Amino acid sequence: MDKKKDIRALTKEQLREFFVKNGDKAFRGNQVYEWLWQKSAHSFEVMTNISKETRDMLEANFVINHIKVDQMQRSSDGTIKNAVRLHDDLIVESVLIPTKTRTTACVSSQVGCSLDCKFCATARLKRMRNLNPDEIYDQVVAIDNESRLYFDKPLSNIVFMGMGEPLMNYNNVLKAIQKITSPEGLGMSPKRITVSTSGVPKMIRKMADEEVKFKLAVSLHSAIDKVRTSIMPFNATFTLADLREALQYWYAKTSSRITYEYVVWEGINDTKKDIDALVSFCKFAPSKVNLIEYNPIDDGIFQQAENSAIEMYVSTLEKNGIVVTVRRSRGKDIDAACGQLANKS
Ligand code: SF4
């Protein structure tokens, strides 16, 4: 096993200190940092403004654990799915979703997932480990490159909605976002980044306290505890009342409207009672609802509800002054749609 340290785990300051300790100038640390992050260097060899001797010294002490896109699949609707190999040979998936006006990266935050939502293909994989900040960052860089190559424009948006629960890997997700938004990284606006959580109240409060600038989405799927617990078992611990309080706290601190992601399943949450509960929940803090088309992962109990149920949701929410969008799924033919990421390729 390689005992060398991943150089990208070092902060800029640590890199500067490393060079000073080794009899060089602190400035050398800035140069290497720029290669690692802004230029996404995969080897020390390409760092051409650094002497061969210094590059050899770096090679002897460190590795650069870059991800590798093992397989790229393209959907008939333009969606691209990457199977990403990590340095320890584990695989995660990330997706590029193009529309007329934007290209969005959907990235993973864990290998597998800590939670066990019954409708989700990722939940069937064991949670192996959290992704490091650089592994999250690299997924974004890979998708940005694909966006430029295939759609002639840079990546415009990022959603943390791939494999894993981002708030169960909070520190690394935040470090990755810092890098993505920093001028020394990709320089993207935090307003174009959405962290989508299944709802971990303690961590939502923490984010609010830290006054993060990105957007928050919550996979709600039901505003009735009994129903939500049956499809998202962790709701027994993190109840809707706790979630509601955390979201109110979030809004009070950030003034940032919350998006509720919501799938309507036949026989599960497609009645008037379900809709009324959602309407009440939406009134606790300024919010909007995305009704997402579901992609069955097998022929079990989770099947997309009839159009009439979706229409009833839309009209009731609108009547109550709540903004609602119906999102058609993308990339179904390559298992890249919401809830389908399960390393099948
Ligand atoms: S829906 Fe999200 S939080 Fe739930 S199991 Fe799937 S990846 Fe994890």
Side-chain angles (χ1 to χ4, degrees):
M1 230 176 103
D2 203 339
K3 293 256 168 41
K4 290 190 250 176
K5 194 174 166 129
D6 181 3
I7 192 165
R8 293 194 307 163
L10 266 55
T11 62
K12 192 175 182 180
E13 215 28 64
Q14 287 169 328
L15 256 183
R16 287 165 57 87
E17 279 165 20
F18 172 82
F19 280 103
V20 173
K21 257 190 223 151
N22 283 278
D24 203 334
K25 297 199 171 62
F27 168 72
R28 199 75 60 223
N30 298 13
Q31 287 180 309
V32 172
Y33 194 84
E34 192 180 316
W35 275 109
L36 292 173
W37 295 104
Q38 258 172 310
K39 298 179 185 161
S40 275
H42 285 224
S43 73
F44 296 112
E45 217 183 308
V46 299
M47 302 181 181
T48 44
N49 57 352
I50 291 165
S51 72
K52 169 93 173 66
E53 199 189 348
T54 306
R55 281 185 270 147
D56 288 346
M57 186 269 285
L58 289 173
E59 189 79 58
N61 284 283
F62 298 106
V63 286
I64 306 176
N65 279 338
H66 249 284
I67 63 158
K68 186 169 162 279
V69 177
D70 242 16
Q71 195 188 7
M72 190 197 89
Q73 287 176 280
R74 291 192 76 179
S75 159
S76 53
D77 66 19
T79 302
I80 292 175
K81 181 171 82 170
N82 291 333
V84 169
R85 186 173 295 276
L86 309 172
H87 69 92
D88 50 5
D89 277 342
L90 293 171
I91 306 268
V92 291
E93 293 177 337
S94 40
V95 182
L96 163 58
I97 307 146
T99 64
K100 271 198 192 114
T101 51
R102 51 170 73 174
T103 51
T104 302
C106 175
V107 296
S108 294
S109 54
Q110 297 182 307
V111 188
C113 186
S114 313
L115 301 179
D116 56 351
C117 305
K118 299 293 177 209
F119 52 84
C120 172
T122 307
R124 296 180 179 183
L125 306 171
K126 209 171 99 206
R127 189 196 83 89
M128 309 287 284
R129 68 170 174 88
N130 286 338
L131 294 190
N132 299 326
D134 49 289
E135 291 168 332
I136 298 170
Y137 181 85
D138 286 352
Q139 291 176 67
V140 175
V141 172
I143 292 186
D144 183 41
N145 290 339
E146 288 167 349
S147 178
R148 289 168 197 270
L149 182 65
Y150 297 109
F151 303 101
D152 225 7
K153 53 187 172 194
L155 182 66
S156 62
N157 295 73
I158 301 170
V159 290
F160 281 80
M161 229 187 200
M163 301 168 122
E165 163 53 63
L167 299 193
M168 295 284 192
N169 184 17
Y170 180 78
N171 289 337
N172 289 351
V173 166
L174 245 69
K175 278 186 195 157
I177 292 177
Q178 274 158 11
K179 207 69 86 183
I180 292 164
T181 52
S182 151
E184 289 175 331
L186 296 178
M188 274 181 83
S189 162
K191 294 273 166 247
R192 294 183 171 275
I193 300 175
T194 302
V195 170
S196 177
T197 173
S198 48
V200 188
K202 195 173 118 195
M203 302 315 289
I204 293 172
R205 283 171 182 276
K206 191 169 159 64
M207 282 197 300
D209 283 336
E210 289 177 3
E211 295 179 20
V212 298
K213 299 282 181 274
F214 50 79
K215 294 187 190 159
L216 174 66
V218 175
S219 296
L220 192 61
H221 307 309
S222 175
I224 300 173
D225 269 316
K226 196 168 164 221
V227 179
R228 194 165 193 260
T229 302
S230 72
I231 55 182
M232 302 168 87
F234 63 87
N235 185 73
T237 316
F238 307 132
T239 63
L240 284 165
D242 292 345
L243 178 59
R244 187 185 75 211
E245 276 174 28
L247 293 172
Q248 285 173 319
Y249 187 77
W250 160 271
Y251 187 78
K253 285 269 185 177
T254 64
S255 304
S256 171
R257 184 170 73 162
I258 302 142
T259 300
Y260 296 124
E261 311 287 359
Y262 201 103
V263 177
V264 188
W265 291 285
E266 196 177 293
I268 290 178
N269 58 354
D270 58 352
T271 67
K272 186 164 179 312
K273 194 175 157 203
D274 296 293
I275 302 173
D276 290 344
L278 175 61
V279 168
S280 303
F281 198 88
C282 286
K283 290 186 175 161
F284 293 124
S287 52
K288 65 170 186 153
V289 175
N290 279 347
L291 292 177
I292 307 173
E293 187 187 354
Y294 184 63
N295 307 286
I297 50 175
D298 55 26
D299 25 343
I301 60 163
F302 291 99
Q303 300 299 328
Q304 168 80 14
E306 297 287 330
N307 272 344
S308 56
I310 313 279
E311 281 159 17
M312 190 161 63
Y313 261 95
V314 172
S315 63
T316 315
L317 287 164
E318 283 179 344
K319 232 182 274 161
N320 282 277
I322 299 157
V323 177
V324 53
T325 317
V326 179
R327 293 221 184 280
R328 297 279 158 231
S329 241
R330 307 287 306 273
K332 280 194 248 187
D333 53 339
I334 54 168
D335 285 334
C338 281
Q340 284 190 321
L341 299 184
N343 292 346
K344 276 202 266 176
S345 53

